Amino acid sequence: MSSEIHDFHGPYQIHTHPQGDVVFIKNGGLYSYDSEKLREIVTSKISEYNAELLKWNLLLDRMNNA
């Protein structure tokens, strides 16, 4: 990765280091890209947000069909 991502309002930050890039998860720790725990966290968060997005889309569909 050629640049660092410091999104202080987002859920994570990516830090570039000579020894390898690391991901800092807010309230969750510091992980390397090959960390199984990081993969579990990312997969879980995506599942959570997909479920919430589905609920919002169902409401929007219902509003559009009212």
Side-chain angles (χ1 to χ4, degrees):
M1 176 167 270
S2 62
S3 63
E4 295 190 9
I5 298 174
H6 294 285
D7 178 358
F8 295 105
H9 300 287
Y12 65 87
Q13 297 175 6
I14 298 172
H15 297 269
T16 303
H17 295 279
Q19 300 85 1
D21 296 345
V22 292
V23 179
F24 171 73
I25 303 290
K26 291 182 182 176
N27 300 318
L30 189 67
Y31 305 93
S32 65
Y33 281 124
D34 61 355
S35 166
E36 188 58 37
K37 181 65 177 172
L38 177 60
R39 182 170 300 282
E40 290 172 14
I41 291 169
V42 171
T43 302
S44 174
K45 290 296 184 183
I46 289 171
S47 293
E48 287 176 30
Y49 287 110
N50 279 335
E52 187 171 342
L53 183 59
L54 175 63
K55 292 175 185 178
W56 284 110
N57 279 321
L58 288 172
L59 176 57
L60 182 60
D61 288 345
R62 194 168 184 153
M63 293 166 56
N64 288 334
N65 292 322

